[in-house]
Amino acid sequence: MEVRTTALMRARHMLESQGRFPGGALPGDISDSWLRSLSHGLDPLARHEAMTLTDTEFRLSQDRHADLIRFARPELELLFDQIAGSNFMIALGSPEGVVLETLVDTQFADSDAGKAVVPASVWTEELRGTNALGLCISTRRPAQVYGGEHFLRAHSDVSCISAPIFDGRGGLAGVLDASSRSTVRQQHTAALVQMSASNIENCLIRSAHDRRIVLQFHPRPEYLGTLSVGMLVLEDDGAVHAVNRKGEMFLAGIRNLIGTGFNAIFEQRFEDVALRLAQGETLRVRDRMGSAVSMRCVANRASFALAVRLFSAANLPQARPTPSHPPETRNLFRDVVIEDEELIRRLRPLPKVATTGTPIFIMGETGTGKEITARLAHAASGRSGPFVAVDARTLGAEAEAALLGRPNGAKGLLEQAASGTLCIDEVSWLPHPAQATLLQVLDHGSFRHPADGREIRCPLFFISTSVSSLTEAVASGRLLPALRFRIEGFSIQLPPLRDRSDMDALARRFVRAQDDRADIDADALYLLGRHDWPGNLHELRSVIAQAVLRASGLCLTVEDFGGLVPVAAEPLAHAAACPQCAGVPWKESQCRSIRDTVRQSGGIAQAARTLGISRTTIYKHLLAQA
């Protein structure tokens, strides 16, 4: 590390004094980027200048990349929680290098770097020289730029890590970036950034192709639906329209996938397997290179249409799906681990309600799966339009314009969701005039555009979600009573994670989503089951992601969760020793001592240091409580 640092210092000195540098002094990607920066005529000693879009330009950029922003926002929040340090920020960039959104901690926000990396700022190599976001755009590969590796000395007090987000057609859809004031190389953070970028990519591909057949495939069937799944999007003639990066990896022996027919990739003809895939079956197929994969069809508009067409052609009316029947309900929810019988009971009417177009209200704590439940309802509705989701808290005073459209003619949320589904989170946060507008549209199915007064028809399926009841919102004066009765057609309350019986299944799903080879042992599952999980599924996913990255083996143990999951205080309050120590006086004394030390020190790591024993030993005494 010292040799590398010295080489970098020498390279910087030559760059700043002579306009050149020794070729072997830097990593190849950094060296190439410095050369490009020189070719752009940049001065490494130039002072930092504000390089941002105008308000109008930035608004157009946000509109152009609205889907990217929508799917990236929860990943930004999760990544921010996962890094969980200080003096850092998370940023989402467009393919043009424009920062679209940021999440930043207070310490970083007050720094020069925090004031430079802001929404609407531009970070291409042409303007800023070597930086991770710009380098990622230039190379279309993950990039890491630390301290003095930045071309401009003005940026040498920050380190940044970026990962590309692709659109499935070979194009760049965006860039995810994590920046900090630390110059220590952060491979843990780099892995988290790349995983989040892959998740955004998969969401984008699924959302953009609701009218095309989307296939998920993986060599191992238990990993379908996880982050590691391959995805193929098919045209009507069976040719590949799009493929995600995992899909390209699984089919690496087949060149030029885009435009290649399904029948040229796999040994089975699509016509022979389409009906079973459309019915929701998981099939084992073999590609032309001889590798077998498990495959299933994503439930979307195209798959429902294909099923109806094939059922009719085969003259099998008895095969028509009956959403109210329990097996079909389970099939609808196959992309979510749901083994909790009470939750299944609550969700069972959802397909039937969705097909009638009755407004749905979904209530649950943050992280309980409200949006994914809304997406399942949209898929079950069979509507031809898109699923459009928005958090009312982000709209502010611009809410009415966001709903109806802007005077410049830009489409509003209502028009975007025409013939589809509009999902509004925390609808009571809309200003009352916007609520009145929404009520009128839901009643009449149309509105007049503010730009030219023309009437726009927008029949839509409406879903609202919230952490609190609509009764509370009306009582506090936030929600108009008339709107409450219009949107509360069918209500579902999602249970918090601590009340679900399928905790183990969810944990295993999240583990395999991070690494399809990984698993988790029984003791670790018991530890997770004792935590309250105030952040619900978001928190569980974050904790498991960090545990997988720090684990030394492929099976997660209690030790891998040290410091990530607090041990419940209740077992420590009992005077009795744990069952494995009970009845042996010296063991009981030792056990009580360990429990008291954990309680007094406030954590297992500190208790281990105080007692001079391993954390694993402490966990054994805590987990053995009956």
Side-chain angles (χ1 to χ4, degrees), residues 204-385:
L204 281 172
I205 291 174
R206 285 189 58 166
S207 173
H209 301 296
D210 191 53
R211 301 188 181 189
R212 291 187 175 92
I213 294 297
V214 180
L215 301 175
Q216 294 181 329
F217 64 102
H218 194 284
R220 298 176 64 177
E222 63 267 33
Y223 299 139
L224 290 175
T226 69
L227 186 61
S228 61
V229 75
M231 297 176 71
L232 282 178
V233 180
L234 303 184
E235 299 278 12
D236 290 340
D237 62 1
V240 175
H241 175 81
V243 57
N244 72 343
R245 280 177 285 178
K246 278 289 186 180
E248 290 177 334
M249 185 187 75
F250 292 144
L251 301 173
I254 301 172
R255 303 176 63 183
N256 303 319
L257 282 170
I258 302 296
T260 300
F262 180 96
N263 298 347
I265 299 173
F266 299 99
E267 292 181 355
Q268 292 91 331
R269 298 189 313 153
F270 186 66
E271 306 91 275
D272 297 335
V273 298
L275 178 58
R276 295 172 65 191
L277 287 171
Q279 287 178 295
E281 289 189 45
T282 297
L283 306 181
R284 196 71 176 168
V285 300
R286 192 174 296 276
D287 66 33
R288 295 292 181 181
M289 304 301 292
S291 300
V293 297
S294 292
M295 177 178 290
R296 73 181 184 195
C297 190
V298 170
N300 63 6
R301 179 178 178 269
S303 67
F304 293 149
L306 177 65
V308 171
R309 185 167 69 250
L310 293 177
F311 292 155
S312 300
N315 193 27
L316 294 174
Q318 69 274 19
R320 182 178 300 276
T322 54
S324 61
H325 195 272
E328 291 296 333
T329 301
R330 286 179 181 270
N331 186 52
L332 174 67
F333 304 132
R334 68 178 184 267
D335 287 337
V336 185
V337 177
I338 295 182
E339 298 179 8
D340 182 276
E341 291 300 325
E342 174 59 22
L343 182 54
I344 292 173
R345 184 190 67 77
R346 296 182 192 183
L347 292 173
R348 189 164 289 147
L350 190 65
K352 182 177 181 181
V353 173
T355 56
T356 67
T358 301
I360 293 175
F361 172 64
I362 305 170
M363 187 175 80
E365 295 178 8
T366 299
T368 49
K370 296 188 291 296
E371 183 171 337
I372 195 170
T373 303
R375 289 182 180 280
L376 290 170
H378 167 69
S381 72
R383 289 183 164 260
S384 60

